[in-house]
Amino acid sequence: MRAAPPLRTSLASLALLLLALSMPSQVQAQPRQPQGTQARQQAQPVPNVTVSQAPQALELAVGRSLIVNSDQDIRRISLASPDTADVLLLSPRQVYLTGKAPGATNLTLWGAGEAVMAVFDLDVSPDQTQLKRMLASVLPNERGIRVVTSGKTIILTGSVSSAPSLATALSLAETFAPGKVQNLLSVGGVQQVMLEVRVAEMSRTVLQRFGINFSLTSGGNIVHSMLGGLTTYASGALTPTSAVGAVVSPNLGGGNTLTAFIDALKDSGLVKVLAEPNLICLSGKSASFLAGGEIPIPIPQALGTVAIEYKPFGVGLNFTPVVLDSGRISIQVNPEVSELDYSLGVTINSWQIPGLTTRRASTTVELGSGQSFAIAGLIKDSTRESIKKFPGLGDLPVLGALFRSSEFRKNETELVIIVTPHLVKPLNMATQTLPTDGFKEPTPYEFFVAGQLEGKAGAAQKPQQPAPALDGKPSAPSGFDGRFGSALPAGE
């Protein structure tokens, strides 16, 4: 064999040496991992997650339809809540949507290769168009009402001219979304009402009474009469009551004594009651007023205890005004005038409880601002005659008057209650007059020497003009003495 040339052998050896030196560096570039980790990486491939595009908003009313057009063929459709809306594929590129019930749902469309084409947030709300049409038909003059829907809720915003219009708008909205109507409407215009109530009563009473009680003593014999409650018998003697007006006791001689207790009375009474309560209230709200007091009434309880309950009396007023569209005022009014009457009282456990004489009315009327209406009236004429007598003796022609007690009572009462409402606004307090403005305390000379209760400056007061109506037009005379409360003067 022929040996290889020395130069070729040297080149081969050098190549093998360079190959051996390069292999360790490649192994160090790859860090060693445990055998189990490599196995798991080979078994679990890396997932490929794709986030769909942001949903688009679609609004649809109940009972209305909508067509969604696509520029690609639709392979698959998904609707999250079939109870809220209904979906129908008309063609490969058209989707027909129908609102079924208020609510929210999602609509997803897939195209070729199972790729998501579009995602829609579908909001199905109550039908505003029909509600707006009904509001415009029923309330043609209310142009400030706005209807907004949010899910299943109808929201009414804006303003109305009166409280009845507000109630009508709410009733119409309730027919479309029962129990899901939010009222954000405000009532414009003058909505404060001042009610003036006048209670006038005249009562006349005539009482005529005549009666005699006698006591006859003759030796050991005694005869007493006790008709009509003029006397009481105690310890063998008659004691006169407060009803007795005269006592006659002549001495008949011989140990005989006659005592006569005479009740002869003629009483005439006249009572005048005039109450004028005035109260201001917001339209649709209730207000109450009481000028008087409260009387304690004992209420017996268990175990001998007594509770105290207070009952009001005096001049009271409760009313609820509602301003109507035409500017008229509907008022539910309850005036009451009561006073203590001890003749109707009772006595409980040594407590003397007076009764109450009450005049009360409750009604609903409708009238304009500044107009008056008599809501109650009473004319009462009662006659009462009473005769108490001894049988037989009381019927004698002349002497019968000694054996009977007579009483005649007649009552005449006339009552009228008049109400007058006013639409009012606040006034500048600096221009108003008060009942105490013209009062000045008297000096010691004026009080002790001249006997005056007011100083000389107290007689001068500002001239006052009748309060005009709200619109500046002259109104019927009312119970105001000049500017009262919040009545608007002309030009303000």
Side-chain angles (χ1 to χ4, degrees), residues 55-311:
Q56 305 178 40
L58 284 180
E59 294 183 358
L60 186 62
V62 175
R64 302 293 180 177
S65 61
L66 180 66
I67 296 179
V68 179
N69 296 312
S70 173
D71 55 356
Q72 302 178 19
D73 291 344
I74 301 173
R75 298 298 180 89
R76 186 154 57 96
I77 299 176
S78 175
L79 187 63
S81 177
D83 296 333
T84 303
D86 193 8
V87 60
L88 177 63
L89 187 61
L90 299 178
S91 68
R93 296 192 178 188
Q94 281 188 340
V95 178
Y96 184 81
L97 294 176
T98 304
K100 298 173 62 177
T105 184
N106 294 105
L107 175 65
T108 308
L109 306 179
W110 283 268
E114 295 298 326
V116 176
M117 296 172 51
V119 179
F120 298 97
D121 284 342
L122 184 59
D123 186 8
V124 181
S125 59
D127 190 5
Q128 300 182 24
T129 304
Q130 189 174 0
L131 175 58
K132 292 179 179 179
R133 186 181 298 113
M134 291 187 64
L135 289 173
S137 176
V138 178
L139 302 172
N141 297 325
E142 301 295 343
R143 303 295 184 182
I145 302 179
R146 302 292 180 266
V147 181
V148 181
T149 58
S150 176
K152 299 181 181 180
T153 305
I154 293 180
I155 304 174
L156 298 181
T157 62
S159 62
V160 292
S161 60
S162 62
S165 297
L166 173 62
T168 303
L170 293 178
S171 299
L172 293 176
E174 284 288 340
T175 60
F176 290 89
K180 298 184 180 298
V181 178
Q182 293 293 329
N183 176 26
L184 300 181
L185 291 170
S186 60
V187 181
V190 179
Q191 299 297 323
Q192 293 185 119
V193 180
M194 180 175 66
L195 186 66
E196 174 194 5
V197 178
R198 306 182 69 184
V199 180
E201 178 184 13
M202 293 293 294
S203 178
R204 296 178 178 86
T205 303
V206 177
L207 173 64
Q208 295 180 1
R209 189 172 63 203
F210 182 81
I212 296 178
N213 282 182
F214 63 88
S215 174
L216 177 61
T217 302
S218 178
N221 300 318
I222 301 176
V223 178
H224 297 313
S225 69
M226 294 180 290
L227 289 176
L230 301 181
T231 56
T232 58
Y233 182 77
S235 302
L238 288 182
T239 303
T241 63
S242 59
V244 174
V247 178
V248 179
S249 180
N251 188 357
L252 302 180
N256 300 323
T257 303
L258 175 63
T259 303
F261 302 91
I262 303 174
D263 175 25
L265 177 66
K266 181 176 181 180
D267 186 9
S268 299
L270 177 63
V271 178
K272 172 188 175 183
V273 177
L274 178 61
E276 296 189 19
N278 300 276
L279 194 60
I280 297 178
C281 180
L282 194 64
S283 176
K285 303 295 183 180
S286 298
S288 60
F289 169 87
L290 176 64
E294 294 183 344
I295 57 173
I297 300 178
I299 306 297
Q301 304 290 324
L303 303 178
T305 60
V306 177
I308 302 298
E309 179 180 343
Y310 290 87
K311 185 174 182 62

Side-chain angles (χ1 to χ4, degrees), residues 376-394:
L378 171 65
I379 297 179
K380 180 181 179 182
D381 189 350
S382 62
T383 302
R384 179 181 177 183
E385 299 178 357
S386 175
I387 297 179
K388 299 177 182 179
K389 60 184 178 180
F390 285 103
L393 297 178

Side-chain angles (χ1 to χ4, degrees), residues 337-357:
V337 177
S338 58
E339 57 186 355
L340 301 180
D341 190 350
Y342 284 88
S343 64
L344 302 177
V346 296
T347 302
I348 302 177
N349 296 335
S350 72
W351 292 61
Q352 186 178 4
I353 311 301
L356 291 176
T357 301

Side-chain angles (χ1 to χ4, degrees), residues 333-480:
V333 58
N334 304 280
E336 178 178 330
V337 177
S338 58
E339 57 186 355
L340 301 180
D341 190 350
Y342 284 88
S343 64
L344 302 177
V346 296
T347 302
I348 302 177
N349 296 335
S350 72
W351 292 61
Q352 186 178 4
I353 311 301
L356 291 176
T357 301
T358 305
R359 280 79 68 196
R360 180 187 299 117
S362 178
T363 185
T364 301
V365 295
E366 179 182 329
L367 62 169
S369 177
Q371 295 181 344
S372 300
F373 202 95
I375 65 172
L378 171 65
I379 297 179
K380 180 181 179 182
D381 189 350
S382 62
T383 302
R384 179 181 177 183
E385 299 178 357
S386 175
I387 297 179
K388 299 177 182 179
K389 60 184 178 180
F390 285 103
L393 297 178
D395 297 329
L396 297 177
V398 177
L399 297 178
L402 302 176
F403 301 97
R404 63 175 178 258
S405 177
S406 305
E407 179 178 339
F408 173 82
R409 185 186 300 271
K410 183 175 182 179
N411 296 326
E412 294 181 353
T413 301
E414 184 175 359
L415 170 67
V416 176
I417 300 177
I418 301 176
V419 298
T420 305
H422 298 269
L423 292 176
V424 295
K425 285 183 178 180
L427 291 178
N428 185 5
M429 188 59 193
T431 62
Q432 303 309 302
T433 58
L434 299 177
T436 57
D437 288 346
F439 175 78
K440 181 181 179 181
E441 294 183 1
T443 63
Y445 175 81
E446 292 173 338
F447 183 75
F448 292 104
V449 179
Q452 298 178 359
L453 299 179
E454 296 185 20
K456 293 183 179 180
Q461 294 189 5
K462 303 177 183 179
Q464 297 179 349
Q465 300 296 331
L470 181 63
D471 53 4
K473 299 178 180 179
S475 58
S478 64
F480 298 122

